[in-house]
Amino acid sequence: MTDYTTVSIPKELADRVEETIEGTSFSSTSDLVRFLLRSIVIQHQQRGELTEAEFDEITDQLQDLGYLE
């Protein structure tokens, strides 16, 4: 059995994410967050660390999705 933890995001951001994932394969905000975090962790593990350019690209993507301001 997998244990879970809760991550809090502002309601406004959650609403924006819900709008963003409409029509995608993501069924919830949690699905999208898990996907993004796994992607970041996998990149980090494969290379040992993220380059500054990769970090900037991830930051831009999270900003586009409304996770960062």
Side-chain angles (χ1 to χ4, degrees):
M1 183 174 161
T2 302
D3 292 331
Y4 290 89
T5 188
T6 301
V7 176
S8 298
I9 60 173
K11 176 72 172 117
E12 179 182 326
L13 176 55
D15 293 341
R16 290 175 62 191
V17 171
E18 287 296 321
E19 291 174 11
T20 301
I21 64 173
E22 282 183 28
T24 71
S25 62
F26 298 107
S27 62
S28 68
T29 299
S30 293
D31 284 347
L32 177 63
V33 170
R34 277 191 295 274
F35 171 79
L36 293 170
L37 290 175
R38 278 190 191 116
S39 297
I40 292 167
V41 169
I42 288 169
Q43 283 182 8
H44 176 73
Q45 289 175 334
Q46 288 176 341
R47 297 185 181 164
E49 66 179 65
L50 295 174
T51 66
E52 187 172 341
E54 291 167 329
F55 182 81
D56 290 342
E57 180 182 341
I58 292 167
T59 301
D60 290 344
Q61 291 172 355
L62 292 174
Q63 285 174 329
D64 290 346
L65 291 168
Y67 278 96
L68 300 174
E69 295 181 10

